[in-house]
Amino acid sequence: GYTLGVTSEPSQQARKLWKPHPDDEADVREALESVDRGELLSVEASEAFLRWLEGSDDESWRAECE
């Protein structure tokens, strides 16, 4: 049979955690707290937001943010 070289230690690459830029820490913290509170955009608003990021003029997603 085949054996895989599996180690119990995570690789160095896996140990690195993503950290926001210090200028963005407060915004990222607030966003994560909003998620914890269940304050998420609807599927429709999320799709509109993605279109807006891609350059469309559709800003209908903003209505859910107010």
Side-chain angles (χ1 to χ4, degrees):
Y2 295 97
T3 37
L4 298 173
V6 178
T7 63
S8 61
E9 291 292 318
S11 69
Q12 288 291 79
Q13 190 69 14
R15 287 187 202 182
K16 292 181 181 178
L17 297 176
W18 176 83
K19 291 184 180 180
H21 186 277
D23 292 346
D24 299 324
E25 283 182 10
D27 291 336
V28 170
R29 186 177 306 110
E30 174 57 31
L32 292 174
E33 289 171 358
S34 293
V35 169
D36 287 343
R37 293 189 299 266
E39 300 171 354
L40 303 171
L41 291 176
S42 67
V43 172
E44 295 80 13
S46 295
E47 289 171 353
F49 177 74
L50 291 175
R51 287 190 301 273
W52 176 77
L53 282 176
E54 293 172 344
S56 81
D57 292 330
D58 182 2
E59 294 192 19
S60 61
W61 59 273
R62 291 185 187 272
E64 286 191 24
C65 295
E66 296 174 356

